[in-house]
Structure formats: structure tokens, C-alpha cells
Amino acid sequence: VILKDVRGNPTGILMERATLLLEGLLPNPSPREWRDWMEEALRYLHSFGITAVHDFSGQKVLPVLRQLEEENRLATRVVCHLVRQELDSCPFELNPGEYSRVGGLKLFADGALGSRTAWMWEPYAGETNCGVPVLAEEELDSLGQMAMRLGWTVRVHAIGDRAIHLLTDVWLRHKPPRYSRVEHAQIPSPDDIPRLHRCGVALSVQPAHLASDRVPAALYLGERGRWLHPYRSFWEEGFILAFGSDAPVELPNPFTALAAAIGRGAERGEAPWYPEEGLSLAEALDWQERHRPAV
């Protein structure tokens, strides 16, 4: 979507795939810039005690990671994920390193809540807009099968209740690769929570998003806002849950995520957002131990 004003003139705001119009016009950073940025980012992650990450920057970071690893300067394990546009040019010949490897495919089923492009069953309040579907059902299925043949996992960005429903339908018919997961799962329909659990996937959620998501949820979702980040419901259903940061959208501070998962906004001096969906500290910390796979 290219947003326009009431006179039909572009506002300069591009949503979802419209941003591809500009990608070819952006200057490419030099290898030195990439390396400097990468080392600065790694130092910042280490300051929080983070030593393993999943990266969604695409294949452009692979040469930098591999160089740092060859120089024994990579002290963080990185699993890189490619996006669908990179499949034809993916450097499949690269052998995985000890600390860096390609391990997954990142797909998008819809947009975001803040821009009202998350794909919903019902329109946003005061609008006829229901959001933006990004991938058709057939594409989700075929790309998932391709990832399975490559031995990769699939990470699918799905925020709106209709996008989550579509993804659930696909995965109930065609089992996803092992350790696949939904990224965000912000506004599921309550009926789809048990259906999605039967797919055997994990949920990668970002509790720190609650601070910003509650504003558009209150304005545009009405009663559906009850199901924004429903961690208690996920917990009781038995999901494997991964608390991520979605950096650089949020800071990669794990304590911020814990506080939001527990306090639901109360830690910021605000009224908790549906506090019945909060977790205790013990529950929030127990995700890893509760679901740790056997070695």
C-alpha cells in the first residue's frame, strides 16, 4: 500500500511490499561498515548476557559472521534466516560454522498492528480495512515444503487473527518442519489457540511489544483487544514459548520482556492490560526448563 492524502498525493509512507520499490535505490554498506556494525551489536548483546541469537537480516550478514568466526572473534552463536526473495541466490555451498549457520526461512503472512496491516477477520474500528495478507495459502505450503527439503525450520510472521488462522490451516494439513514457529502470534482467535497447538510449533513472542501494541489495540480492536498477547492462555494450552525482543524494534533486554510478561504494563505505571493473561516470575522463567528437549 502506498498511502495517499485526501487529494490523492503520496504521503511518503509505504506499507508492507510497497517498501520493495525503494530497496534497489538504497546505498549498499561497505564490508567495513558491516563488520563495525556487527561487532558493536555483538558487544551490546553480550552486555545483557546474550550469547545466542536468531538473526533475520538475510544472507548479507553471512560473510561478515564467517569472517569473524575464522578470526576467532565471534563469541555468539548465530542462526541466520533467509527471506523468500533470497532463495535463488542463497549460498548453499557454505558449510555451517561452529558459531554461524543458515538454519531457517523467514516468511510473512501479514503486516503489523501499529500500521493496521495485520490481517484480521473483522475491520479495524472506524474503517473498512481488515489488514494485508502477504502470502497465499499455496505459497505458505510450497515454501514450507522447500524449507523441509533443505533441512531448515520455518519462521512465519503472523499477527492478525485471520493470518494465524490461515497458517494453522496450512500446518494442520501439511506438518511443518521440526522446530518451526510462529513469530509474534499477537492477536489469535481463542478458537485457534488449541488448533495451533496441535500443529506442534513453538510461539516466538515479544512481551516488550505490549507497551506499544496496547495503544492501537484500544483504538482499533475493541473487544478483540482482550486477545492481545495472551500468554496465560498459551501457557495453559502447553505451548513452547520463546520470549524474544524483535530487536531493533525493541531493545534486546530480556528483563524488559520478563517484566512485561508478568506485569502486563503495570511495571510502567500503567493499568495492566488484561492482567489475567500475565504469568508469574516462576512460570516466565520456567519455559526453557519446562520444554528443554532431551539431548
Side-chain angles (χ1 to χ4, degrees):
V1 177
I2 301 175
L3 287 190
K4 299 178 181 179
D5 60 23
V6 293
R7 297 182 178 180
N9 298 315
T11 64
I13 299 177
L14 304 177
M15 292 185 171
E16 306 313 319
R17 288 188 177 181
T19 60
L20 297 176
L21 296 170
L22 293 181
E23 281 193 359
L25 305 177
L26 299 175
N28 291 320
S30 68
R32 182 72 250 181
E33 286 176 314
W34 272 118
R35 184 185 174 100
D36 290 345
W37 294 341
M38 183 70 71
E39 291 190 302
E40 181 181 359
L42 292 170
R43 286 193 296 270
Y44 188 56
L45 291 172
H46 291 167
S47 73
F48 293 113
I50 297 172
T51 59
V53 297
H54 285 204
D55 180 84
F56 297 101
S57 303
Q59 70 180 61
K60 57 183 175 288
V61 303
L62 286 171
V64 184
L65 290 171
R66 192 53 47 85
Q67 182 182 10
L68 290 173
E69 184 167 2
E70 290 173 352
E71 297 173 5
N72 293 319
R73 296 176 60 85
L74 183 62
T76 300
R77 297 187 186 278
V78 184
V79 179
C80 297
H81 298 72
L82 305 186
V83 296
R84 57 183 301 208
Q85 293 87 353
E86 296 177 316
L87 287 178
D88 292 337
S89 58
C90 172
F92 295 110
E93 72 278 2
L94 286 178
N95 295 320
E98 182 181 355
Y99 280 82
S100 61
R101 63 183 177 89
V102 175
L105 178 64
K106 175 71 180 290
L107 301 175
F108 289 82
D110 66 345
L113 175 60
S115 58
R116 303 189 302 286
T117 53
W119 195 29
M120 306 293 295
W121 283 112
E122 300 293 334
Y124 292 93
E127 303 181 10
T128 59
N129 165 46
C130 292
V132 178
V134 176
L135 277 181
E137 186 172 342
E138 295 77 14
E139 291 177 292
L140 282 170
D141 180 29
S142 62
L143 290 169
Q145 297 302 311
M146 179 184 296
M148 186 178 294
R149 290 193 296 271
L150 293 170
W152 293 354
T153 57
V154 176
R155 321 297 193 185
V156 183
H157 165 119
I159 288 180
D161 53 14
R162 193 169 183 179
I164 295 170
H165 181 85
L166 169 69
L167 183 58
T168 302
D169 281 350
V170 170
W171 280 350
L172 283 175
R173 287 196 301 273
H174 303 282
K175 188 175 178 63
R178 191 181 184 192
Y179 300 127
S180 293
R181 69 187 191 215
V182 183
E183 297 294 325
H184 312 305
Q186 284 181 1
I187 320 162
S189 166
D191 293 337
D192 278 326
I193 292 177
R195 294 179 69 245
L196 183 58
H197 185 247
R198 292 201 297 273
C199 298
V201 297
L203 303 183
S204 172
V205 299
Q206 296 73 35
H209 282 335
L210 186 61
S212 55
D213 286 342
R214 61 187 294 168
V215 176
L219 289 173
Y220 298 110
L221 294 184
E223 293 182 357
R224 290 174 294 176
R226 155 69 180 84
W227 295 101
L228 179 70
H229 299 283
Y231 300 138
R232 168 60 58 184
S233 297
F234 290 154
W235 165 270
E236 292 180 351
E237 193 63 41
F239 275 102
I240 296 176
L241 209 69
F243 284 175
S245 64
D246 206 27
V249 178
E250 300 285 351
L251 297 179
N253 186 340
F255 301 104
T256 301
L258 284 172
I262 297 164
R264 304 284 295 180
E267 74 282 356
R268 299 166 58 94
E270 301 170 310
W273 184 265
Y274 293 93
E276 63 270 25
E277 287 293 347
L279 300 174
S280 69
L281 176 60
E283 289 168 339
L285 291 173
D286 191 42
W287 282 112
Q288 294 293 334
E289 295 301 326
R290 183 185 184 202
H291 297 289
R292 186 181 300 278
V295 177

